[in-house]
């Protein structure tokens, strides 16, 4: 199936043409049939010579019903532009074409009706020239008479050619079904209809209502009047919702795949049409079947920020249009550039934002989004319409590589700064670093820790002696020099104090990995434990405390806590008779 919407001036024979092609009555209201004028959307379908099915969304042509027309055209990929041979190009022909152009509709046909009443040539030439200057470009043109049937076979063949040109829809995409009708069927409950442009619907699916984020379940599906277990794109579809009251939704709402769309009332857009500086403060944004008032804040010559009267499920790259209902004027087509824009609170922020948007083309591209956002959650990007690839830096956070490298360098600087300001503290608290780096989560700080930094007990420290205050580093260097040739001798407490190593200074050196603490006021150089294992491995096994003390050339004050440390590390094992054996010789 493919779906096509009619467009054109009032009373140019759009509904008559649909009746002639399908044998179905598109006007649903008795008032429409009495007045001979389409007021709301109509629907009909037919089989083409190729066997393909075409479904028509018949829209009203009167200027008072342009919002209804836009609700029908918005989700549809192709248009049938209808012009009467006896009247030619008219005001609503122009407004409907402007709407199609604003929405970026690039597939269509020109049908010149009432060819039995006037020569279709002049109307065809004028209409073709008008269409050529829009997104539709050069199109097939067919002259027909619904009254006599002339040209209808040629029109059916042209519809077949149009169907063959349409791009293949994405059946694996998330569902966003814009609701153009909602009603109640006795015994079935609430039914909504719309044009399914992408994705696949199945009976039993759980969806979300865009307006309320309420979960709803698909009770039944109909397409072209037939009950179906599933429907793929592109298709006209009626969805029976289980247990959902009719007053919960209406035209302009949408059924969504859960978790795949960002609902927003604030967006940055590019406008093709009127200069943004000349726009009224309030316009109406039309997208899908929705029509929502929007306050306009110009940013650059062709970019603006829109504040919507209610949130909509929008994606980066969406096409929409802005219309001034008071003047019956299409202000222009909109390309959505950002559905989660930053606040504009500082002086000059709007100018800076315009400069950023000037580099954005509306394609949802991961590298560009990360470059602008620096950090973003994968789930948030997916809801914006961005295809996510690559490994997160922490949790589901993705980062711009250059920004992430810069954060790593800043973290080293901030840890050093904290060490200078608080030389005897056990490193910089992760929460403090999160605030200084302006990061949203502590996990991001922890993910940035790389040598020479290390993370311990919620603090980030520098593992090198150079991170110590200069007096402490100098005292540690004295210890290293004095005990380099006797690594298992521990300086006495008085000597440590003479060097300027009190309890706080020793604690800082131990945390920095510059000294190894065995017990209160018993410290060795940091590699002493591993060196001791190698020495003890050369003794006859098992060995006693006295044998270990002699082999290490140290005192009982050092040997006892050193062997206990090796026991805790699993390098030695203490036997029932208090002798020990080396379990692993470390190198």
């Amino acid at each position: 199936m493919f779906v096509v919407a009619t467009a054109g001036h009032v009373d140019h024979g759009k509904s008559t043409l649909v009746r002639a092609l399908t044998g179905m009555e598109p006007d649903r209201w008795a008032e429409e049939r009495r007045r001979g004028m389409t007021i709301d959307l109509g629907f009909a379908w037919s089989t083409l010579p190729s066997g393909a099915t075409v479904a028509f969304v018949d829209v009203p042509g009167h200027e008072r019903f342009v919002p209804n027309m836009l609700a029908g055209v918005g989700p549809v990929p192709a248009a049938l532009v209808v012009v009467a041979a006896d009247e030619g190009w008219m005001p609503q022909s122009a407004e409907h074409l402007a709407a199609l152009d604003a929405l970026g509709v690039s597939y269509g046909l020109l049908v010149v009706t009432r060819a039995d009443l006037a020569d279709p040539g002049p109307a065809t030439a004028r209409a073709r020239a008008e269409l050529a200057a829009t997104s539709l470009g050069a199109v097939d043109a067919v002259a027909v008479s619904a009254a006599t049937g002339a040209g209808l076979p040629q029109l059916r063949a042209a519809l077949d050619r149009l169907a063959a040109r349409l791009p293949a829809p994405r059946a694996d995409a998330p569902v966003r079904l814009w609701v153009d009708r909602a009603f109640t069927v006795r015994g079935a409950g609430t039914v909504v209809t719309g044009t399914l442009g992408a994705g696949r619907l199945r009976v039993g699916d759980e969806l979300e209502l865009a307006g309320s984020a309420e979960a709803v379940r698909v009770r039944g599906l109909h397409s072209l009047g037939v009950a179906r277990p599933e429907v793929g794109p592109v298709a006209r579809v009626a969805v029976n919702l289980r247990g959902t009251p009719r007053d919960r939704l209406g035209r302009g709402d949408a059924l969504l795949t859960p978790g795949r769309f960002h609902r927003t009332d604030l967006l940055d857009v590019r406008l093709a049409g009127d200069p943004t500086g000349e726009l009224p403060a309030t316009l109406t944004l039309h997208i899908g079947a929705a029509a929502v008032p929007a306050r306009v804040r110009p940013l650059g010559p062709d970019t603006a920020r829109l504040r919507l009267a209610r949130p909509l499920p929008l994606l980066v790259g969406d096409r929409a249009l802005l219309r001034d209902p008071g003047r019956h004027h299409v202000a222009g087509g909109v390309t959505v550039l950002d559905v989660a824009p930053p606040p504009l609170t500082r002086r000059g922020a709007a100018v800076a934002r315009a400069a950023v948007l000037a580099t954005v083309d509306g394609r949802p591209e991961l590298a560009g989004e990360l470059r602008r956002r620096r950090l973003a959650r994968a789930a948030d990007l997916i809801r914006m319409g961005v295809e996510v690839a690559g490994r997160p830096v922490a949790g589901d956070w993705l980062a711009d590589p250059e920004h992430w490298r810069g954060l790593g360098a800043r973290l080293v600087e901030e840890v050093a700064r904290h060490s200078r300001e608080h030389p005897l503290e056990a490193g910089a608290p992760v929460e403090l670093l999160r605030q200084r780096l302006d990061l949203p989560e502590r996990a991001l700080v922890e993910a940035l820790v790389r040598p020479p930094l290390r993370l311990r007990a919620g603090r980030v420290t520098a593992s090198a002696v150079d991170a110590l205050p200069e007096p402490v580093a100098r005292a540690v260097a004295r210890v290293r020099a004095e005990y380099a040739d006797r690594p298992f001798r521990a300086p006495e407490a008085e000597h440590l104090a003479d060097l300027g190593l009190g309890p706080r200074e020793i604690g800082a050196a131990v945390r920095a990995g510059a000294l190894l603490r065995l017990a209160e006021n018993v410290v060795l150089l940091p590699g002493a434990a591993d060196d001791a294992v190698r020495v003890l491995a050369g003794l006859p096994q098992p060995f006693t405390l006295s044998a270990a003390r002699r082999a290490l050339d140290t005192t009982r004050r050092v040997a006892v806590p050193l062997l206990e440390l090796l026991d805790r590390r699993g390098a030695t094992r203490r036997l029932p008779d208090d002798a020990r054996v080396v379990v692993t010789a470390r190198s």
Side-chain angles (χ1 to χ4, degrees), residues 208-558:
E208 288 179 353
L209 293 183
S212 62
E214 176 185 354
V216 296
R217 192 167 294 280
V218 177
R219 178 181 182 182
L221 293 170
H222 279 71
S223 184
L224 307 186
V226 177
R228 303 177 191 272
E230 67 176 70
V231 178
V234 171
R236 286 295 303 173
V237 61
V239 185
N240 181 199
L241 299 176
R242 186 186 304 277
T244 304
R246 162 66 184 84
D247 60 4
R248 297 282 180 87
L249 74 173
R251 175 172 291 174
D253 208 329
L255 299 181
L256 309 173
T257 297
R260 294 299 301 272
F261 291 88
H262 182 75
R263 298 176 185 82
T264 182
D265 62 356
L266 190 69
L267 59 151
D268 287 347
V269 303
R270 174 163 289 115
L271 182 70
D274 296 350
T276 56
E278 299 177 8
L279 296 177
T282 302
L283 294 169
T284 299
L285 180 76
H286 293 267
I287 182 167
V292 179
R295 292 194 63 81
V296 181
R297 178 177 180 176
L299 297 176
D302 65 346
T303 54
R305 175 158 294 185
L306 305 183
R307 173 72 72 176
L308 306 182
R310 62 180 174 87
L312 291 176
L314 302 179
L315 301 172
V316 173
D318 275 342
R319 294 296 298 266
L321 69 83
L322 283 171
R323 183 172 181 268
D324 185 345
R327 294 190 297 147
H328 302 291
H329 170 67
V330 174
V334 160
T335 300
V336 176
L337 302 180
D338 196 339
V339 295
L344 302 176
T345 54
R346 298 179 180 177
R347 182 182 297 274
V351 174
R353 181 61 176 166
V356 171
L357 294 178
T359 68
V360 179
D361 60 8
R363 288 182 294 181
E365 186 254 332
L366 179 61
E369 289 295 330
L370 289 179
R371 189 166 55 252
R372 289 184 291 276
R373 298 178 188 280
R374 299 187 172 188
L375 286 167
R377 290 185 180 276
D380 291 340
L381 291 170
I382 289 170
R383 282 192 290 268
M384 297 176 195
V386 179
E387 188 171 337
V388 170
R391 180 179 298 178
V393 295
D396 70 338
W397 286 97
L398 296 167
D400 172 62
E402 184 176 346
H403 179 61
W404 189 248
R405 286 191 294 270
L407 285 172
R410 287 181 56 201
L411 180 64
V412 173
E413 294 170 0
E414 290 296 341
V415 171
R417 169 186 166 190
H418 186 82
S419 178
R420 290 192 301 271
E421 295 172 351
H422 308 277
L424 300 180
E425 281 193 13
V430 169
E431 176 58 23
L432 174 66
L433 294 170
R434 184 197 69 77
Q435 295 172 15
R436 288 186 174 179
L437 296 178
D438 193 24
L439 294 174
E441 284 190 7
R442 291 165 56 102
L444 291 165
V445 177
E446 295 168 357
L448 283 166
V449 175
R450 296 285 188 277
L453 302 181
R454 63 181 177 177
L455 178 67
R456 179 180 293 177
R459 289 176 177 264
V460 180
T461 62
S463 57
V465 177
D466 294 340
L468 292 170
E470 185 177 344
V472 178
R474 191 164 49 245
V476 169
R478 287 276 305 277
V479 172
R480 185 184 297 112
E482 291 180 18
Y483 290 86
D485 58 348
R486 41 185 182 151
F488 306 114
R489 293 293 183 101
E492 297 294 334
E494 293 81 2
H495 184 45
L496 290 173
D498 290 342
L499 293 174
L501 293 174
R504 294 185 67 195
E505 288 79 9
I506 291 172
V510 169
R511 287 190 295 270
L515 291 175
L516 172 67
R517 190 200 304 271
L518 297 181
E520 187 70 25
N521 290 327
V522 180
V523 295
L524 298 178
L525 297 177
D530 290 338
D531 292 341
V533 173
R534 284 191 287 271
V535 172
L536 296 174
L539 292 175
Q541 306 290 312
F543 57 87
T544 63
L545 172 62
S546 291
R549 183 181 59 77
R550 288 192 299 271
L552 297 172
D553 187 24
T554 190
T555 64
R556 184 181 179 87
R557 169 176 168 261
V558 173

